[in-house]
Amino acid sequence: MGPYDSSISAPAGSSSTSSSACSSSTKPRQPPDQMDHLLAGAGYKVRSNDLHQVAERLEHLETAMVKSSPVEISELGHDAVHYNPTDLASWVDSLLTELNTNPPAAVGVPTDLPDLHPFPADINMYSNNPPPLHGEFSQQVVTPLEEDVSIRLVHVLMTCAEAVQRGDLSLASLLIDDLQALLGRVNSVCGIGKVGSFFVDALSRRIVNSSQNGVVQDDLSAYENEMLYHHYYEACPYLKFAHFTANQAILEAFDGQDCVHVIDFNLMQGLQWPALIQALALRPGGPPLLRLTGIGPPSPDGRDSLREIGLKLAELARSVNVRFAFRGVAASRLEDVKPWMLQVSPKEAVAVNSIMQLHKLLGPGQPIDVVLDWIHDLNPKIVMVVEQESNHNQSVFLDRFTEALYYYSTMFDSLDACTAQPVKSLAELYIQREICNVVCCEGSARVERHELLATWRDRLTNAGFAPLHLGSNAFKQARMLLTLFSAEGYSVEENEGCLTLGWHSRPLIAASAWQAVPEPSATMGQINHP
Amino acid sequence: MAGSDQINVCESKRVVPLNQWILMSNFKLAYNLLRRPDGTFNRHLAEFLDRKVPANVNPVDGVFSFDIIIDRTINLLSRVYRPANDTEPDATLSTTFSQLKKPVSTSEVVPVIIFFHGGSFAHSSANSAIYDILCRRLVTLCKAVVVSVNYRRAPENPYPSAYDDGWTALEWVNSRPWLQSKDSKAHIYLAGDSSGGNIVHQVALRAVKSGIKVLGNILLNPMFGGQTRTESEKRLDTKYFVTIQDRDWYWKAFLPEGEDRDHPACNPFGPRGITLEGIKFPKSLVVVAGLDLIQDWQLAYADGLKKAGQDVKLLYLDKATIGFYLLPNNDHFHTVMNEIRSFVGPLPSTDCE
């Protein structure tokens, strides 16, 4: 890496739920739902009133384990799928069920499903790159001088951002000159030099344009957008992880369903779907009828790029005997999509797939509420949400700037380590556009309004969705894939039923799955009723 | 077997608070799933089950943390915990990189505690929730900076990886200008629990040979062992969350192939041990839990130090089990915290949490 020998993890805006004990401002007086706060600090949620019961379950589990053979215990570790270890009671119960003792009525125990082959190397329609080799670390020596310069660089960046926040643009401009000089002294090929230059660039744009109403980013052509996206997809594992985790969850949600309909909020080049099509083809009992509705921007030049992708996917589906239908929905913004355009039939099982799209709905007017409403009304079996794990939606510019600096520094750090593409300029440009949007833009132009998983949890719960937990099978496969496709240093973590992918110990994207809770007026039934 | 297990359960339940019993039992049973009879380890499931927390540069209860790579070649991460500066009016403002590495002090002594988490060389990480909490407590308690080392674990990385990583961390701490305080030097203590305690001893040994000054060693229920079965092992086997069998497994996973438990890493004052007589070893605080089955080895360790003329304080906690320091709801916890505070530098007494 670069001049500063640190991979620094960012402020957690709302701290991970496992340490919720520390951040509660008052200690309530033991209402029935009160969690034991000491266990909460250790990462486990157990109600104070349930402690005795949980202890009893643990005793039963121990007895059951003692009675089992080492082979059975090994199998428990191997084949059983574990979910959300934070919910200790459920975890213990699921193990007891596996060991075939008599548990109380446990929440639906998941069945084993065919594992997904995520990146079909043989059915790779889009990538012409050879499979990436496991990267080696290039050792970069950090001289004390370089470390000083990089520390100073960050310090001046922050001072400049503060000046911008205060409206002191003449000072800010002077500081930009300082920053340019500092950038000249720092290794700009990697590390803080590289990401620093993007932030300096974004700040100076903001300063220059603040006389007008914020910066409007130039629109790229659809082709340019796709190019950047594709390079980002190849250069680092974030999108691959998102696709893979989503597909695994969708596959499980579609178990037993004959007619399924996937709604992709951003089709792009459809990179996610060959793997799902293949997995459905291989599923025991045969594939369902698969409909895919892909949402994407309209093509300006008479091409119908959505349809083109659809045709390619259809060809693939035909080759593996999956009955397939595609529909493209052209919309420049997600909020312009109306549910009737999706033509969802009541007989089909619906999956909504949103990879880094929902945050775009958090701007003025909060179209997110309307969209979540109609998603809910589609009664989806699963809503897959993958989002950047950071709070880039703070109204105070300085706070937003600081979070972004931490977040994208870490992301660039991770990019440096992947050597699949030695020259990563297009992938970096993809990220740079995000940075620019977060830093320079305001109002409806600012679409990169990332929020933390904890915030998304609240939002989705309030909108009438309940979590579907991602389990140890998805976790394990994600980890195995990372060793195949990426450098060491990436980490997958389990967070109360969600999975995050990050660089070292800093989560950078979070994947969660949801299902619609029926309206209270509807017929009663369990949440996991198929 | 079932009958004696019931007795075991009753016994251990009697001596610890219920939530602590749940925590330790959960670890015990989960860890049973992870150790395979063939000596391999289910690392994927281990990482899935481990409850982790991210670092947080925004101060929480007066402490903030950040992660730092101290050796890129092996991705050796450490989590640094620092006290939030009380004199800064906007303590909740976004802390910048430059402030993270602001020199701790020029005028006062600010101890730097290098902490090695436990887990019998195989489990846990620097960002495990239980250790994140413990390190934060140490910051507040000792008004210290804590550096928690994410050392490489067995069985994938057996001896001497953990020791090498500990040594790397010590050298790193010793050479950071921003960790120096009074007299322009770093005031370094080593601390660790379970396997972390074992690492403390080994790193201190290397420090002595290399001339880096370590002011003190804190060993909480340190992990030692030996080939013979001691009386405490036989008496306490299976009774308080730990078994001889699992101890054997972890030693086998950590020690070099073909070695037995009298290897000096496991048994530093055993038949293959070396004497520390005449060596300027740091003063040691050794905490032994009276219901820990390996206490005979831990007592032998303290004894070995004493016989070699070293400064050692032994704190024997009669009715304590392993892991008593993970939750603050027992007397042993408070006793130990007070001892640690006295041990690390001459600070005025304050109430610890």
Side-chain angles (χ1 to χ4, degrees):
Chain A
M1 228 267 303
Y4 76 114
D5 61 340
S6 56
S7 168
I8 293 189
S9 82
S14 64
S15 59
S16 149
T17 47
S18 56
S19 54
S20 56
C22 305
S23 47
S24 60
S25 47
T26 55
K27 298 223 154 58
R29 215 158 299 195
Q30 301 280 11
D33 277 350
Q34 174 70 8
M35 297 292 169
D36 181 281
H37 81 276
L38 291 183
L39 285 177
Y44 299 100
K45 289 191 173 158
V46 183
R47 288 196 192 87
S48 302
N49 294 342
D50 289 345
L51 286 178
H52 284 282
Q53 207 198 13
V54 171
E56 221 179 270
R57 308 304 297 156
L58 278 164
E59 290 172 51
H60 286 150
L61 180 57
E62 169 150 27
T63 311
M65 285 175 75
V66 164
K67 291 202 181 102
S68 308
S69 66
V71 170
E72 282 168 306
I73 306 248
S74 231
E75 271 166 18
L76 255 196
H78 247 288
D79 303 336
V81 181
H82 302 253
Y83 292 85
N84 191 9
T86 292
D87 183 356
L88 193 48
S90 297
W91 182 72
V92 173
D93 282 343
S94 68
L95 289 182
L96 278 167
T97 307
E98 290 289 332
L99 285 172
N100 291 317
T101 49
N102 294 319
V107 177
V109 176
T111 55
D112 256 332
L113 286 154
D115 284 336
L116 197 54
H117 291 281
F119 311 134
D122 48 341
I123 310 181
N124 199 336
M125 300 193 293
Y126 307 109
S127 170
N128 295 318
N129 296 332
L133 299 168
H134 185 74
E136 267 173 29
F137 259 116
S138 65
Q139 193 176 355
Q140 275 149 8
V141 177
V142 181
T143 69
L145 184 63
E146 277 183 324
E147 190 172 68
D148 280 342
V149 172
S150 63
I151 288 178
R152 178 144 177 76
L153 177 62
V154 174
H155 188 68
V156 179
L157 261 173
M158 295 305 303
T159 311
C160 184
E162 262 179 305
V164 167
Q165 158 115 329
R166 277 196 321 265
D168 188 349
L169 297 181
S170 47
L171 173 59
S173 299
L174 285 174
L175 291 171
I176 294 287
D177 292 336
D178 275 356
L179 285 166
Q180 302 287 14
L182 282 169
L183 282 175
R185 291 165 55 196
V186 127
N187 184 348
S188 64
V189 168
C190 52
I192 189 64
K194 169 73 68 72
V195 73
S197 67
F198 291 146
F199 277 87
V200 171
D201 179 71
L203 271 176
S204 62
R205 278 197 215 202
R206 189 179 173 111
I207 292 165
V208 162
N209 284 285
S210 65
S211 45
Q212 309 154 12
N213 283 333
V215 171
V216 176
Q217 270 185 300
D218 297 326
D219 270 339
L220 294 181
S221 72
Y223 173 72
E224 286 167 327
N225 261 325
E226 282 174 24
M227 275 290 287
L228 294 189
Y229 181 88
H230 193 125
H231 277 83
Y232 179 66
Y233 178 88
E234 292 293 341
C236 50
Y238 301 108
L239 285 176
K240 295 184 193 109
F241 168 81
H243 293 173
F244 165 71
T245 308
N247 285 346
Q248 179 79 30
I250 293 172
L251 188 66
E252 289 182 25
F254 281 168
D255 184 41
Q257 301 292 331
D258 292 325
C259 295
V260 304
H261 184 174
V262 175
I263 300 169
D264 188 358
F265 274 9
N266 185 29
L267 184 68
M268 260 299 170
Q269 301 156 322
L271 293 172
Q272 181 171 349
W273 306 118
L276 183 67
I277 292 172
Q278 189 189 24
L280 286 171
L282 293 173
R283 111 183 155 162
L289 163 62
L290 169 66
R291 283 183 58 207
L292 173 66
T293 300
I295 298 171
S299 337
D301 48 358
R303 274 173 68 211
D304 187 346
S305 52
L306 290 174
R307 196 174 122 81
E308 282 171 22
I309 307 286
L311 283 172
K312 283 204 186 119
L313 290 171
E315 202 177 293
L316 166 63
R318 190 173 42 244
S319 75
V320 291
N321 291 320
V322 174
R323 290 166 298 147
F324 178 81
F326 176 84
R327 179 184 194 81
V329 172
S332 2
R333 302 176 315 167
L334 200 47
E335 54 257 52
D336 295 335
V337 174
K338 303 286 170 255
W340 57 263
M341 299 174 187
L342 309 172
Q343 301 204 338
V344 168
S345 143
K347 282 190 272 212
E348 49 192 19
V350 173
V352 173
N353 185 77
S354 167
I355 312 287
M356 331 258 225
Q357 300 303 305
L358 289 186
H359 61 257
K360 297 179 182 171
L361 301 170
L362 297 175
Q366 296 276 298
I368 183 82
D369 296 323
V370 167
V371 173
L372 286 180
D373 248 357
W374 63 248
I375 293 177
H376 188 281
D377 289 343
L378 296 178
N379 195 22
K381 279 276 168 301
I382 180 170
V383 180
M384 197 64 208
V385 176
V386 181
E387 284 286 330
Q388 290 92 331
E389 180 64 0
S390 191
N391 188 357
H392 295 153
N393 198 19
Q394 298 172 78
S395 41
V396 175
F397 171 73
L398 183 60
D399 293 340
R400 203 163 77 234
F401 183 86
T402 312
E403 285 259 8
L405 186 58
Y406 279 114
Y407 180 84
Y408 289 105
S409 299
T410 309
M411 175 158 283
F412 267 89
D413 218 7
S414 79
L415 207 60
D416 274 343
C418 288
T419 58
Q421 286 181 349
V423 177
K424 304 187 187 73
S425 29
L426 290 179
E428 289 167 1
L429 193 50
Y430 177 91
I431 302 172
Q432 186 190 12
R433 287 183 61 79
E434 256 184 44
I435 293 173
C436 208
N437 191 275
V438 174
V439 171
C440 306
C441 300
E442 293 295 347
S444 49
R446 178 154 59 90
V447 293
E448 299 298 342
R449 294 176 179 262
H450 315 140
E451 288 188 343
L452 292 165
L453 178 59
T455 314
W456 284 111
R457 278 202 178 105
D458 286 342
R459 207 184 275 287
L460 287 161
T461 308
N462 290 337
F465 294 92
L468 281 173
H469 291 150
L470 305 171
S472 55
N473 50 348
F475 180 87
K476 173 177 173 178
Q477 289 182 58
R479 271 170 60 93
M480 281 162 51
L481 280 161
L482 284 173
T483 60
L484 278 181
F485 283 91
S486 310
E488 263 192 62
Y490 285 96
S491 59
V492 183
E493 283 180 18
E494 194 284 341
N495 183 330
E496 289 191 72
C498 306
L499 297 187
T500 64
L501 172 62
W503 179 242
H504 294 121
S505 53
R506 164 79 215 253
L508 291 174
I509 68 166
S512 59
W514 303 84
Q515 59 183 345
V517 177
E519 297 293 321
S521 56
T523 52
M524 291 188 287
Q526 299 237 294
I527 288 174
N528 51 351
H529 179 70
Chain B
M1 263 324 273
S4 69
D5 282 321
Q6 279 180 327
I7 294 172
N8 292 341
V9 157
C10 291
E11 275 192 57
S12 60
K13 243 177 160 183
R14 268 206 302 264
V15 295
V16 296
L18 189 57
N19 51 10
Q20 180 140 12
W21 188 89
I22 287 174
L23 186 67
M24 303 310 305
S25 300
N26 167 59
F27 286 148
K28 177 175 81 172
L29 297 180
Y31 292 1
N32 286 346
L33 298 180
L34 304 175
R35 297 187 302 269
R36 298 200 197 99
D38 66 356
T40 60
F41 190 74
N42 192 339
R43 181 62 66 191
H44 293 303
L45 186 57
E47 293 305 299
F48 179 81
L49 294 175
D50 191 24
R51 303 292 81 202
K52 299 185 201 279
V53 294
N56 195 348
V57 291
N58 291 316
V60 175
D61 293 335
V63 180
F64 68 90
S65 64
F66 57 97
D67 292 327
I68 202 160
I69 305 274
I70 64 178
D71 184 340
R72 292 211 151 259
T73 56
I74 49 171
N75 268 316
L76 181 60
L77 203 66
S78 283
R79 180 162 288 181
V80 178
Y81 301 83
R82 290 182 65 158
N85 192 337
D86 297 314
T87 62
E88 269 167 22
D90 294 307
T92 53
L93 242 192
S94 311
T95 315
T96 66
F97 289 118
S98 56
Q99 283 181 42
L100 296 184
K101 293 187 187 176
K102 207 162 72 174
V104 286
S105 173
T106 43
S107 52
E108 290 175 5
V109 170
V110 177
V112 180
I113 302 175
I114 304 179
F115 180 78
F116 301 102
H117 66 81
S120 309
F121 292 107
H123 298 278
S124 296
S125 307
N127 59 345
S128 294
I130 49 172
Y131 288 114
D132 187 83
I133 285 202
L134 182 57
C135 289
R136 285 169 172 273
R137 288 196 216 284
L138 290 177
V139 170
T140 308
L141 187 69
C142 306
K143 307 227 184 329
V145 172
V146 174
V147 178
S148 181
V149 183
N150 199 42
Y151 59 88
R152 283 170 294 171
R153 298 163 302 186
E156 303 95 316
N157 297 291
Y159 170 98
S161 302
Y163 300 154
D164 290 343
D165 294 352
W167 173 247
T168 303
L170 177 57
E171 280 192 306
W172 182 86
V173 166
N174 196 47
S175 61
R176 294 307 103 184
W178 53 279
L179 286 176
Q180 293 169 0
S181 48
K182 188 163 184 229
D183 303 328
S184 299
K185 57 182 188 206
H187 298 259
I188 301 173
Y189 291 80
L190 302 178
D193 72 311
S194 168
S195 47
N198 180 296
I199 296 171
V200 164
H201 171 77
Q202 295 291 337
V203 173
L205 263 184
R206 263 221 242 185
V208 162
K209 292 186 198 137
S210 315
I212 293 188
K213 183 142 196 250
V214 172
L215 294 172
N217 292 346
I218 299 167
L219 291 80
L220 287 175
N221 302 4
M223 188 170 157
F224 294 115
Q227 206 47 31
T228 60
R229 300 300 187 198
T230 60
E231 184 273 338
S232 66
E233 281 166 308
K234 290 187 261 198
R235 175 169 48 95
L236 296 169
D237 187 16
T238 80
K239 290 194 165 54
Y240 299 99
F241 313 114
V242 184
T243 68
I244 291 178
Q245 198 183 37
D246 72 59
R247 294 298 99 198
D248 286 353
W249 190 99
Y250 292 116
W251 281 120
K252 193 143 194 284
F254 176 70
L255 293 170
E257 181 95 31
E259 286 284 358
D260 69 13
R261 291 184 302 277
D262 281 335
H263 186 283
C266 177
N267 195 357
F269 297 129
R272 293 159 60 188
I274 51 158
T275 174
L276 292 189
E277 231 174 310
I279 295 182
K280 278 189 77 179
F281 202 65
K283 65 172 180 174
S284 300
L285 172 64
V286 182
V287 178
V288 178
L291 298 175
D292 187 344
L293 63 81
I294 61 168
Q295 63 187 270
D296 284 349
W297 295 112
Q298 296 161 337
L299 294 169
Y301 173 77
D303 213 43
L305 287 178
K306 204 154 133 212
K307 288 205 170 74
Q310 302 299 341
D311 180 352
V312 53
K313 172 152 193 189
L314 172 66
L315 188 60
Y316 185 86
L317 302 165
D318 227 12
K319 286 277 173 265
T321 65
I322 57 153
F324 69 86
Y325 44 81
L326 295 178
L327 299 183
N329 57 352
N330 59 82
D331 288 334
H332 312 301
F333 174 90
H334 296 289
T335 306
V336 166
M337 289 302 142
N338 281 328
E339 286 291 341
I340 291 177
R341 190 183 49 222
S342 312
F343 188 77
V344 177
L347 297 168
S349 286
T350 48
D351 279 290
C352 66
E353 297 273 59

